[in-house]
Amino acid sequence: MENNIKPSITITKEQLLQHWQGHRSLTRRTIEAFPEDKLFNHSIGGMRPFSEMVMEMIHMAAPGAQGIATGTWEKFGEVAGSDSKKPETKQELLELWDWSTVQINQYWEQIPEGRLQEKDVAFGAWEGQTWWHLLYFIDNEIHHRGQGYVYLRSLGIEPPHFWER
């Protein structure tokens, strides 16, 4: 441990996964709320369509869980074990989202005790403790889901309640 700081447990690994999966469930409902065409082409102020933001989240989630669990990181944007074809429909995007969720759960079981305190280089680019990388994945999802909420509201659609995770 750096600086001889003794870690204390404030949240269990299982609680952290439940928290992350709660956010993922809410993001999934946000994807579902989009009309098919608007998911892939609606934009405000030069931001990307929500489908592209979702793909960024997918590119972080399962590969990130794999990296945290095993110390083996794919190059960012590569998702080992998935069909590399870019989703063209809401259903295809949701299927990839669900596949990613299953992958997270499987890798989560492999995370060794103390691993979240270890330093690693995520996706071969970003050095930090693995707990920081994980929180970044969650924060990034929340950020992009917020952009999705703005898109939905601009389309006259009420987004899912953020507290219903």
Side-chain angles (χ1 to χ4, degrees), residues 3 17 24 27-28 46 48-50 66 76 83 87 108 115 118 133 143 154-156:
N3 302 323
L17 176 61
R24 289 185 56 78
T27 300
R28 189 184 197 288
R48 298 174 287 170
F50 191 58
Q66 174 187 350
F76 185 76
D83 181 356
W108 200 263
R115 172 69 174 139
E118 294 176 9
H133 294 303
H143 164 71
S154 76
L155 295 167

Side-chain angles (χ1 to χ4, degrees), residues 17-150:
L17 176 61
Q18 182 180 8
H19 177 78
W20 189 12
Q21 292 294 20
H23 279 290
R24 289 185 56 78
S25 175
L26 180 55
T27 300
R28 189 184 197 288
R29 290 196 313 279
T30 305
I31 297 166
E32 290 173 330
F34 271 83
E36 180 92 20
D37 63 329
K38 301 302 183 190
L39 179 60
F40 292 91
N41 65 29
H42 185 67
S43 176
I44 297 175
M47 293 190 301
R48 298 174 287 170
F50 191 58
S51 63
E52 291 181 24
M53 296 177 199
V54 170
M55 286 305 299
E56 178 182 311
M57 294 178 228
I58 289 169
H59 287 146
M60 282 188 183
Q66 174 187 350
I68 289 171
T70 68
T72 301
W73 294 86
E74 303 292 333
K75 180 180 169 191
F76 185 76
E78 295 178 3
V79 182
S82 74
D83 181 356
S84 60
K85 180 176 144 284
K86 183 178 176 182
E88 296 178 4
T89 66
K90 184 193 313 190
Q91 185 59 40
E92 289 175 352
L93 188 62
L94 287 168
E95 287 170 6
L96 187 55
W97 186 266
D98 293 343
W99 173 88
S100 181
T101 299
V102 170
Q103 294 297 302
I104 291 168
N105 289 336
Q106 290 174 349
Y107 281 116
W108 200 263
E109 295 299 318
Q110 299 174 36
I111 298 174
E113 186 70 32
R115 172 69 174 139
L116 293 177
Q117 298 302 321
E118 294 176 9
K119 280 192 173 182
D120 206 342
V121 181
F123 303 107
W126 300 288
E127 183 177 345
Q129 289 179 289
T130 54
W131 66 262
W132 184 90
H133 294 303
L134 176 60
L135 293 181
Y136 180 83
F137 304 156
I138 297 168
D139 291 345
N140 185 68
E141 179 176 333
I142 294 166
H143 164 71
H144 287 312
R145 187 175 62 237
Q147 291 172 304
Y149 275 34
V150 170

